[in-house]
Amino acid sequence: MRHDSILSTIGHTPLISLDRICGDRIPAKVYGKVESFNPGQSAKDRAALYMIEQAEKKGLIKPGATLIEATSGNTGFSIAMIAAVKGYKCILTLSDKAGPEKRALMTALGAKIVLCPKDAAPEHPDSYYSRAEELAATIPNSFYLRQNWNLDNSGAHYASTGPEILEDTDGKVTHYVCCAGTGGTLSGTARYLKEKKPDVTIVGVDAYGSVLKKYWQTGIFDTNEIFSWKVEGLGKTIIPDNVAFDLIDEFIKVGDRAAALRVRELATREGMLLGYSSGAALEAVFAIRKQLTKDDVVVVLFPDHGSRYLGKVFNDDWMKEQGYLTPTGEPATYSVKHLQRMYRVYKRMYGRKIKQRLKLTSE
Ligand SMILES: Cc1ncc(COP(=O)(O)O)c(C=O)c1O
């Protein structure tokens, strides 16, 4: 197939059956919507292209402009790619949570990077949001995409991801499971699917340490919910306009360990090398499995490719440092059985020591 530029290869990603990993454990038919097939290897290609082209149509981006964005990495890569093709400059403010692989990918495409501390609160002048605002205010002829608040982000998925899922499942999709960060991928797709099939169940995926689920449940922005977590792109410590809370039927929080183990399983059982948040999304399918029947068709969206996480979830040393693998390389599952066994081992070890100490002091 011939293309005018790399940009027209964005979208139309495949739906791939997950029979090997889900077949005998999930009663429904489960498909992965594999967004790593986009040229920038993530779902963010769709959002970045749509936000930029809508802004061009509105006259907000002029020739020679500088595109600015605060990003966890993937949006930055997509904007850098589009800027290269369209002849714009690109400056990205990035949380230092993003690994060195992600940073190198962006600079390779000609983007400039401003690295910001991951633990700075959004309103802090050093946060990647504040730094992006500052750059947009000081650089002439610049456009700050604001993916959290720019509704063209979710518009991209309403226009493409939603229709693709409905068509590729022959209208049979019953559940859509998707990570929430800015909310664009979740909300835009959900809005399209609910319009066409009102009984479809929308399952959002959130991180422990993020404020989104609590806000969905209570309408309260609870800062007590916030602590740092590891899955890049998943969850938020702000409430983005792109999260359409009213479209979400269920919100599942997934932990860093479970997501890491699940994405490694996707690689070894399905041959799919995908990003950390893809593990979180699939873990959410496992979390809802008791609600599913054999007639259900679940589509779980996998946001990006695993090559960006070779130093993290696909690195055994990193996994052991986090305690997600045992020192001998087994998954650290912490099942009730495992905890009971550990309790017996520790009781035996320390019980003996305590008895010895009691003996010594009494002598
Ligand atoms: C790897 C990854 N997963 C999930 C998400 C969440 O997608 P969205 O921002 O559309 O909610 C992002 C967003 O940056 C991401 O980079």
Side-chain angles (χ1 to χ4, degrees):
M1 198 182 288
R2 264 207 301 245
H3 289 272
D4 283 345
S5 83
I6 195 165
L7 303 185
S8 57
T9 69
I10 292 173
H12 300 287
T13 53
L15 265 193
I16 301 180
S17 168
L18 301 177
D19 282 353
R20 282 137 298 267
I21 193 165
C22 296
D24 53 352
R25 297 190 284 176
I26 307 275
K29 180 77 195 163
V30 184
Y31 292 100
K33 174 85 169 151
V34 189
E35 289 296 294
S36 58
F37 278 84
N38 282 301
Q41 301 190 324
S42 89
K44 291 296 180 177
D45 282 0
R46 300 176 190 262
L49 184 64
Y50 198 78
M51 284 190 284
I52 290 168
E53 294 198 331
Q54 291 300 308
E56 284 173 338
K57 278 185 195 155
K58 292 171 203 160
L60 299 172
I61 298 180
K62 306 207 169 52
T66 301
L67 304 180
I68 295 170
E69 184 57 320
T71 164
S72 73
N74 282 326
T75 311
F77 184 83
S78 303
I79 298 169
M81 176 180 77
I82 297 161
V85 175
K86 288 179 175 275
Y88 300 128
K89 294 188 263 311
C90 175
I91 303 181
L92 307 165
T93 62
L94 195 68
S95 147
D96 55 15
K97 179 158 142 185
E101 298 101 329
K102 273 190 181 174
R103 283 182 244 157
L105 284 166
M106 283 173 263
T107 49
L109 286 170
K112 288 209 173 70
I113 285 181
V114 178
L115 215 54
C116 306
K118 70 173 181 301
D119 295 325
E123 58 286 354
H124 191 280
D126 289 340
S127 79
Y128 66 136
Y129 298 118
S130 306
R131 295 285 285 127
E133 288 288 358
E134 187 193 324
L135 290 165
T138 50
I139 297 174
N141 191 19
S142 61
F143 178 71
Y144 177 16
L145 276 77
R146 288 186 177 80
Q147 58 170 335
N148 288 296
W149 300 280
N150 182 342
L151 295 180
D152 288 330
N153 171 4
S154 43
H157 297 282
Y158 179 85
S160 64
T161 318
E164 287 171 29
I165 290 174
L166 198 70
E167 195 182 322
D168 291 343
T169 58
D170 299 319
K172 293 200 176 91
V173 57
T174 59
H175 294 73
Y176 173 60
V177 180
C178 182
C179 294
T182 66
T185 319
L186 173 67
S187 311
T189 310
R191 186 154 56 88
Y192 181 87
L193 293 177
K194 287 249 184 198
E195 265 176 34
K196 303 290 169 199
K197 250 197 118 175
D199 58 345
V200 74
T201 301
I202 304 298
V203 182
V205 186
D206 193 16
Y208 287 101
S210 152
V211 295
L212 296 178
K213 180 172 177 178
K214 177 83 178 270
Y215 189 82
W216 169 75
Q217 280 173 320
T218 63
I220 296 167
F221 177 80
D222 185 355
T223 50
N224 292 321
E225 290 282 300
I226 300 174
F227 55 87
S228 71
W229 70 94
K230 296 261 169 348
V231 187
E232 290 165 39
L234 180 69
K236 279 281 162 187
T237 55
I238 54 167
I239 305 294
D241 288 350
N242 269 303
V243 185
F245 290 97
D246 55 324
L247 295 177
I248 301 169
D249 297 302
E250 189 144 355
F251 228 151
I252 307 285
K253 283 211 183 225
V254 174
D256 293 334
R257 179 181 54 84
L261 294 174
R262 198 61 84 187
V263 77
R264 287 168 65 101
E265 207 189 347
L266 258 173
T268 54
R269 292 180 79 153
E270 294 286 355
M272 292 183 181
L273 188 68
L274 299 174
Y276 200 173
S277 64
S278 300
L282 186 59
E283 184 61 18
V285 176
F286 278 82
I288 60 157
R289 68 181 178 278
K290 292 208 172 98
Q291 308 167 16
L292 300 171
T293 69
K294 67 172 179 29
D295 299 323
D296 289 323
V297 176
V298 179
V299 173
V300 50
L301 188 131
F302 294 144
D304 71 346
H305 195 264
S307 57
R308 292 172 188 179
Y309 306 87
L310 295 180
K312 293 192 173 178
V313 281
F314 296 110
N315 176 324
D316 285 3
D317 292 336
W318 185 88
M319 288 289 286
K320 286 176 192 169
E321 273 162 33
Q322 311 307 314
Y324 305 157
L325 288 182
T326 64
T328 51
E330 306 297 319
T333 49
Y334 303 120
S335 61
V336 172
K337 242 185 185 163
H338 171 83
L339 289 173
Q340 282 169 342
R341 202 174 60 234
M342 293 308 290
Y343 174 71
R344 282 196 298 274
V345 170
Y346 281 114
K347 204 170 133 198
R348 224 173 23 242
M349 279 166 57
Y350 292 106
R352 200 181 306 141
K353 272 195 188 146
I354 290 164
K355 270 184 204 155
Q356 277 170 357
R357 205 168 280 169
L358 285 174
K359 221 169 133 197
L360 281 175
T361 43
S362 66
E363 273 170 357

